[in-house]
Amino acid sequence: MAEVTNASVLATLQEKFGDAIEHAYEPYGMLTAFVKREQIIDILRFLKEDSTIQMNFLTSLCGIHYPNNEGKELGVIYHLHSFTNNFRMRLEVFFPAADVDMPTATVLWPTANWMERETFEFYGINFVGHPDLRIILNVEDMDYHPLLKQYPLEDDTRTDKDDRYFGRDDNKGVHFDKFPGKAQLPNK
Amino acid sequence: MSNVQIVNEPPVGLQGEGFLVTNLSAVVGMARKNSLWPLPFATSCCGIEFMSTMGPNYDLSRFGMERLSFSPRQADLLMVMGTIAKKMGPILRHVYEQMAEPRWVIAVGACASSGGVFDSYSVLQGIDKVIPVDVYVPGCPPRPEQIIQGIMQIQELAASESLRRRNGDQYKALLDSYNIK
């Protein structure tokens, strides 16, 4: 059996999916590919079902928000693991904040169910086809997505802090525009 | 070690050979003070400090707290130790509502007192947002000595509290302000 390496997996993906693989790099030796949203489920299914690569485990699925990254503000990141080959890789999908529909990965891994519920809860990403897309961690009546950067991380019911000493004004939290350039895509 | 006092002095009153005449509230206060049953509501590291406080080194039993009550219906003192998430708030309130009067609450640690370092959308910014608190113990986490001091302050409250306080208008207004029936 051929050995599975970063280069071999990337070559296979590029050969099979062509333009759908936008960009790839290897931070800390881990293959990371940026792919198109339309093909993500096809790519995941191929990686899972391919007899050589055998990515049989979805380690993690999470969202991310880069408000300064025009047109690609929101992202979903998949961590895959092949138990057979002891090989890990990462897939990233970015899309505009105005268009938050993502295809669900629950068709491939049931474990994606709760991860997608969490991602929906914190980033408002709508996983189309998810069997039960509800809030999972926070109070049931939470009416916003707290990890989107336009919302303050701090709680506005806090009373014992003097805002001047904590880099915020009017008790509205640290404003994201005060730190331009901090949230950029790496190596792009 | 010569001046260790194991038992506090009896309440002030008229004493003679084999009798003591005093007022009822002083006796009830003394009884309440020395038989508080705490309900530990421990959610994080302050709970570990409390376990140390309960253990033989610091020995909370000295204060009449040999038995922890894990039913709120039998507890006099609710000890909230640790971060209370907003999702936990209604549960904490429910526990408090199940306790019988007289009841006291001690908030142990920065998180229970004010939210602590968790100035965050998911954390209750102090348990006094949902239930009334009698004593706050600062620290992150506080040492067992500090927890003991907080408990001794609760004991002072229990000993000196008027028997009529829980029926008073001020106390009812306090509970009403938390919308607790």
Side-chain angles (χ1 to χ4, degrees), chain A residues 98-143:
Chain A
D99 176 16
V100 292
D101 289 347
M102 267 295 291
T104 178
T106 51
V107 293
L108 297 172
W109 290 282
T111 188
N113 189 318
W114 284 12
M115 298 177 186
E116 287 182 354
R117 279 177 68 182
E118 185 189 359
T119 309
F120 160 72
E121 172 173 2
F122 284 104
Y123 295 95
I125 293 166
N126 179 32
F127 289 92
V128 178
H130 189 285
D132 183 23
L133 201 59
R134 284 182 294 129
I135 278 186
I136 185 170
L137 289 173
N138 276 297
V139 284
E140 287 82 0
D141 56 355
M142 178 158 260
D143 53 359

Side-chain angles (χ1 to χ4, degrees), chain A residues 53-68:
Chain A
I53 303 174
Q54 298 184 67
M55 287 289 188
N56 53 357
F57 187 67
L58 177 67
T59 311
S60 177
L61 184 163
C62 62
I64 198 162
H65 186 208
Y66 290 123
N68 293 344

Side-chain angles (χ1 to χ4, degrees), chain B residues 11-30:
Chain B
V12 181
L14 186 61
Q15 279 196 68
E17 180 75 34
F19 72 91
L20 165 69
V21 181
T22 183
N23 57 336
L24 184 63
S25 81
V27 175
V28 172
M30 186 182 71

Side-chain angles (χ1 to χ4, degrees), chain B residues 148-159:
Chain B
I148 286 174
Q149 192 188 14
I151 282 170
M152 289 171 76
Q153 288 178 350
I154 289 279
Q155 283 191 316
E156 284 312 306
L157 284 177

